[in-house]
Amino acid sequence: MSFINNPNINAETNGSSFVLSPGDALPSSVLADLRTDHAGETGAVFIYRGILQFTSDPTLRAFAEQHMTTEQSHLQLIESWLPKAHYSHLLPLWRLAGFLTGALPALVSSHAVYATIKAVETFVNHHYDDQVRSLESKPALDKLRQIMIECQADEVAHRDQAAAALGVKKIGLLLGLWSAVVGAGSRAAVVVCRHI
């Protein structure tokens, strides 16, 4: 495992009480994971900007404003760990994709927005879960693991709030297809962000 900035740091020494903090050198695999998180949280902020740009529904606006604040706090946490040199080079694309992911359903209905958020957050829950599990074997990264757990809990709450807002209404064929595209797009973005 290679470390960026300081190859003399061995954060995986078993039995060590050494714990990494923001600003410390991180394994390249962790930097790749954080790059995907940073891009994802950037996209999430722009999802809510897109919603707020096009909805006049006061309940949906309150939902979007509250969730955008949470996503901004996640973004700040990740930025404290991820050096700018390791940000995705495609951030303008992720901002646009996020904005469109929020704006397009907001132009249709609140129901479409809640279905979209449920689809996004279902993916994000699994994404964070994979990282939390990966960090279990790296005690030096326990602080980062705790942040991932907290972010994951927020995303699950967002998913559940969207699901509750959807209620028992059935999702139609077009909205179901849109939700599948959103999930597939999120998965593809993670693959790309690990490298670019």
Side-chain angles (χ1 to χ4, degrees):
M1 175 177 299
S2 64
F3 281 76
I4 306 301
N5 301 330
N6 188 347
N8 297 320
I9 292 178
N10 180 2
E12 290 196 45
T13 303
N14 289 333
S16 170
S17 62
F18 182 73
V19 177
L20 291 170
S21 294
D24 290 337
L26 297 172
S28 57
S29 63
V30 173
L31 288 169
D33 284 342
L34 285 171
R35 182 167 40 254
T36 69
D37 299 334
H38 182 263
E41 297 295 352
T42 298
V45 169
F46 277 82
I47 286 172
Y48 292 110
R49 286 186 182 179
I51 294 166
L52 290 167
Q53 182 73 37
F54 291 104
T55 189
S56 58
D57 177 335
T59 302
L60 182 55
R61 289 189 68 80
F63 173 93
E65 287 168 355
Q66 177 191 14
H67 289 205
M68 187 168 70
T69 298
T70 303
E71 304 298 359
Q72 288 169 328
S73 71
H74 291 177
L75 188 57
Q76 290 171 348
L77 284 169
I78 292 165
E79 286 177 345
S80 73
W81 283 86
L82 182 67
K84 284 186 178 181
H86 294 280
Y87 288 8
S88 172
H89 295 297
L90 301 176
L91 280 177
L93 175 62
W94 308 136
R95 289 182 187 110
L96 176 62
F99 186 84
L100 291 174
T101 302
L104 293 175
L107 289 167
V108 175
S109 69
S110 298
H111 184 72
V113 170
Y114 294 129
T116 300
I117 298 304
K118 182 181 174 192
V120 169
E121 298 296 19
T122 296
F123 167 78
V124 174
N125 173 44
H126 295 300
H127 179 65
Y128 273 128
D129 195 54
D130 289 343
Q131 291 182 42
V132 167
R133 289 174 190 270
S134 173
L135 292 173
E136 285 176 357
S137 63
K138 299 173 178 70
L141 290 166
D142 190 57
K143 285 183 184 177
L144 180 58
R145 182 173 175 271
Q146 291 305 314
I147 287 172
M148 296 293 108
I149 289 169
E150 291 167 17
C151 289
Q152 181 185 16
D154 289 338
E155 306 296 2
V156 168
H158 291 181
R159 179 201 65 197
D160 293 348
Q161 289 168 3
L166 274 172
V168 295
K169 292 180 186 176
K170 287 190 174 186
I171 293 178
L173 178 62
L174 286 177
L175 191 49
L177 288 172
W178 166 254
S179 295
V181 167
V182 167
S186 298
R187 286 188 295 278
V190 164
V191 171
V192 171
C193 279
R194 287 192 62 79
H195 305 286
I196 304 173

